[in-house]
Amino acid sequence: MKTYMSGIIASLFVFITPVIPLIWLVLLFVISDTALGVWASYKENKQIESRKLARVISKITIYCAMIMMVYSLDVLVLYTWIDDKMLVTKIGAGVLCFVEGFSMDENIRRFNNDKGVIFYVERLFKVVKGVKVKYNELVNGKD
């Protein structure tokens, strides 16, 4: 019986091994969102409640279960119709990361005078443009 159970556990682990990097990616987004939420609450002098913080555990559990269920559907049913391996699973993980990214933007706006990720992306583009202009001036010999 012990050998039988260890075989089942090993088989399940081997089955979900391809989605482990996607699970780690989603976990990174959830943890980043949580850290930004805690930081925003700290900056706003709001009390951090353990009940609200405990929802992160249920969110992680639901997200991981969703990824594994979609992966099972992808491998067992959709793989016969879709040539790309794990396409639906990757799309599902991408949607989860998008949702968490949107939440991170909201948290950044909470403590940063309503300046979100777009503000910093625009600033980055301005810096890159400035560096490109300076580089072209140096390469072309213009002062």
Side-chain angles (χ1 to χ4, degrees), residues 133-143:
V133 168
K134 292 288 185 184
Y135 175 77
N136 285 335
E137 289 174 358
L138 285 172
V139 168
N140 296 329
K142 296 179 183 177
D143 290 328

Side-chain angles (χ1 to χ4, degrees), residues 3 5 8 11-13 18 20 29 36 40 53 55 57 72-73 80 92 104 110 116 122 128 132 137-138 140 142:
T3 307
M5 288 304 290
I8 289 175
S11 298
L12 286 174
F13 183 74
I20 289 176
F29 272 77
L36 285 171
L53 201 55
R55 286 190 291 192
I57 296 169
S72 299
L73 176 74
T80 57
M104 284 189 279
R110 278 178 49 199
E122 289 172 352
V128 169
K132 181 181 174 184
E137 289 174 358
L138 285 172
N140 296 329
K142 296 179 183 177

Side-chain angles (χ1 to χ4, degrees), residues 16 26 36 41 46 54 65 70 90 107 115 122-123:
I16 66 165
V26 171
L36 285 171
S41 295
K46 290 185 178 178
V70 170
K90 291 174 187 174
N107 286 328
K115 295 177 187 170
E122 289 172 352
R123 284 184 66 185

Side-chain angles (χ1 to χ4, degrees), residues 27-131:
L27 286 176
L28 177 71
F29 272 77
V30 170
I31 291 169
S32 300
D33 177 40
T34 303
L36 285 171
V38 169
W39 181 254
S41 295
Y42 172 75
K43 286 293 218 176
E44 294 173 339
N45 291 325
K46 290 185 178 178
Q47 186 176 7
I48 300 167
E49 297 176 12
S50 63
R51 188 177 329 117
K52 288 183 181 179
L53 201 55
R55 286 190 291 192
V56 174
I57 296 169
S58 62
K59 182 191 289 190
I60 288 172
T61 304
I62 291 169
Y63 283 2
C64 290
M66 197 267 326
I67 289 173
M68 287 188 278
M69 285 190 296
V70 170
Y71 175 67
S72 299
L73 176 74
D74 214 357
V75 168
L76 300 174
V77 177
L78 299 177
Y79 190 64
T80 57
W81 298 319
I82 301 173
D83 290 334
D84 191 13
K85 187 177 181 187
M86 294 183 8
L87 177 67
V88 179
T89 308
K90 291 174 187 174
I91 291 171
V95 168
L96 293 176
C97 289
F98 177 77
V99 168
E100 290 301 312
F102 193 73
S103 178
M104 284 189 279
D105 183 57
E106 289 175 350
N107 286 328
I108 290 171
R109 288 177 186 275
R110 278 178 49 199
F111 65 81
N112 204 17
N113 298 328
D114 206 33
K115 295 177 187 170
V117 174
I118 297 296
F119 172 77
Y120 292 105
V121 170
E122 289 172 352
R123 284 184 66 185
L124 178 66
F125 279 131
K126 286 179 186 177
V127 169
V128 169
K129 259 185 177 174
V131 169

